[in-house]
């Protein structure tokens, strides 16, 4: 099997890892690392490969997110994380946009430097318990009151896996607002090309020398492949057997978990 599989593992200089479902399964208790993933990250770093965590995590600031990962034993620093909120702040400043935020309370500090008076756009993140009817309706009213509504969504995932089961993700609420306001959201985060490209630029690695490893066949695998990267699907996290018959996205390989992927890649180095 190894010889047949190894083709996709050649000439790699950088790895982009999705986090939730690849490194750990999130949960109310902070979550649990997936078997072998702490050691796999350590081995990637020891190998000299460039590493980037490419996450759509929007329930915490990058600092707190990294603190949580370090608490699980992962050797990760904030500078190795590409996340949607900082990218969104950059866009907001660039375009003079003042957001109405519908995000998780713990993410709000990421927007501290951004002018939020008299909003002229809505920024939507994975607000979890904040996705109440009242809060969605307030965001709807801000958008519907605009001549040209601007909806910025920090990802478009359908669902993700926590330790107690699958949870609705931001994409479901994005679609509700799109439908109600007849607007198309601008997605910051995976699978947006600009998001992957900024992660590659931060690593200093061209797409053909990078591999993305994720549990979301559309946003991780499909998004990375559209940028010219190779992409692997792990059979952890939200992976379901039906992903292997996806009509549009064919991963470069399936691996049981991150540890197996790292084994194969490091043998090729």
């Amino acid at each position: 099997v190894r010889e047949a599989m190894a083709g996709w593992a050649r000439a790699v200089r950088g790895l982009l890892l999705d986090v939730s479902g690849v490194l750990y399964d999130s949960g109310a208790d902070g979550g649990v690392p997936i078997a072998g993933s702490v050691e796999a990250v350590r081995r990637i770093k020891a190998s000299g490969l460039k590493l980037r965590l490419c996450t759509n995590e929007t329930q915490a600031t990058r600092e707190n997110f990294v603190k949580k990962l370090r608490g699980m034993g992962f050797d990760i620093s904030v500078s190795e994380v590409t996340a949607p909120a900082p990218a969104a702040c950059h866009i907001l400043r660039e375009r003079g946009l003042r957001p109405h935020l519908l995000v998780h309370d713990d993410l709000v500090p990421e927007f501290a430097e951004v002018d939020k008076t008299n909003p002229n756009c809505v920024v939507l993140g994975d607000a979890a318990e904040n996705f109440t009817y009242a809060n969605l309706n307030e965001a709807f009213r801000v958008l519907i009151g605009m001549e040209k509504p601007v909806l910025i969504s920090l990802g478009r995932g359908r669902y993700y896996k926590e330790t107690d089961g699958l949870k609705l993700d931001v994409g479901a609420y994005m679609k509700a607002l799109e439908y109600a306001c007849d607007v198309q959201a601008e997605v910051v985060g995976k699978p947006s090309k600009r998001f992957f490209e900024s992660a590659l630029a931060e690593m200093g690695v061209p797409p053909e020398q990078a591999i993305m490893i994720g549990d979301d066949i559309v946003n991780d695998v499909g998004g990375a492949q559209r940028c010219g990267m190779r992409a692997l699907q792990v059979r952890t996290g939200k992976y379901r057997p039906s992903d292997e018959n996806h009509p549009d996205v064919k991963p470069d390989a399936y691996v049981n978990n991150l540890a197996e992927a790292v084994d194969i890649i490091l043998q090729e180095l």
Side-chain angles (χ1 to χ4, degrees), residues 123-189:
V123 170
L124 189 66
D126 179 10
E129 308 302 325
N130 279 353
F131 278 135
T132 60
Y133 175 76
N135 287 347
L136 275 164
N137 202 48
E138 197 182 349
F140 158 74
R141 284 177 168 173
V142 171
L143 286 169
I144 206 77
M146 293 176 196
E147 201 176 326
K148 283 202 177 132
V150 176
L151 173 60
I152 294 173
S153 187
L154 306 179
R156 49 173 284 186
R158 294 173 175 182
Y159 53 84
Y160 54 93
K161 182 168 183 264
E162 289 205 335
T163 47
D164 63 347
L166 298 176
K167 300 280 168 91
L168 274 179
D169 201 355
V170 62
Y173 301 95
M174 175 192 94
K175 286 291 182 190
L177 289 172
E178 281 187 337
Y179 178 61
C181 302
D182 199 16
V183 60
Q184 186 120 39
E186 301 174 40
V187 177
V188 181

Side-chain angles (χ1 to χ4, degrees), residues 98-237:
R98 301 180 303 278
H100 169 85
L101 298 176
L102 177 44
V103 300
H104 198 282
D105 292 341
D106 294 342
L107 191 72
V108 172
E110 289 272 21
F111 294 91
E113 308 296 303
V114 174
D115 181 7
K116 295 178 277 291
T117 55
N118 189 22
N120 58 2
C121 73
V122 166
V123 170
L124 189 66
D126 179 10
E129 308 302 325
N130 279 353
F131 278 135
T132 60
Y133 175 76
N135 287 347
L136 275 164
N137 202 48
E138 197 182 349
F140 158 74
R141 284 177 168 173
V142 171
L143 286 169
I144 206 77
M146 293 176 196
E147 201 176 326
K148 283 202 177 132
V150 176
L151 173 60
I152 294 173
S153 187
L154 306 179
R156 49 173 284 186
R158 294 173 175 182
Y159 53 84
Y160 54 93
K161 182 168 183 264
E162 289 205 335
T163 47
D164 63 347
L166 298 176
K167 300 280 168 91
L168 274 179
D169 201 355
V170 62
Y173 301 95
M174 175 192 94
K175 286 291 182 190
L177 289 172
E178 281 187 337
Y179 178 61
C181 302
D182 199 16
V183 60
Q184 186 120 39
E186 301 174 40
V187 177
V188 181
K190 299 175 294 188
S192 126
K193 202 165 180 196
R194 182 171 168 176
F195 190 71
F196 282 115
E197 283 168 352
S198 68
L200 288 166
E202 286 157 3
M203 295 168 91
V205 171
E208 59 278 9
Q209 294 180 348
I211 293 180
M212 173 77 199
I213 303 175
D215 70 329
D216 184 319
I217 187 135
V218 173
N219 293 314
D220 295 335
V221 175
Q225 286 177 332
R226 277 200 305 278
C227 292
M229 279 186 262
R230 285 161 279 175
L232 310 185
Q233 166 93 26
V234 288
R235 295 188 177 103
T236 56

Side-chain angles (χ1 to χ4, degrees), residues 1-10 235 253-256 260 264 267-268:
V1 177
R2 201 184 105 54
E3 285 315 305
M5 287 174 76
W8 57 262
R10 294 199 177 104
R235 295 188 177 103
Y254 291 92
V255 288
N256 287 320
E260 186 186 333
I264 296 166
Q267 281 168 348
E268 278 292 330

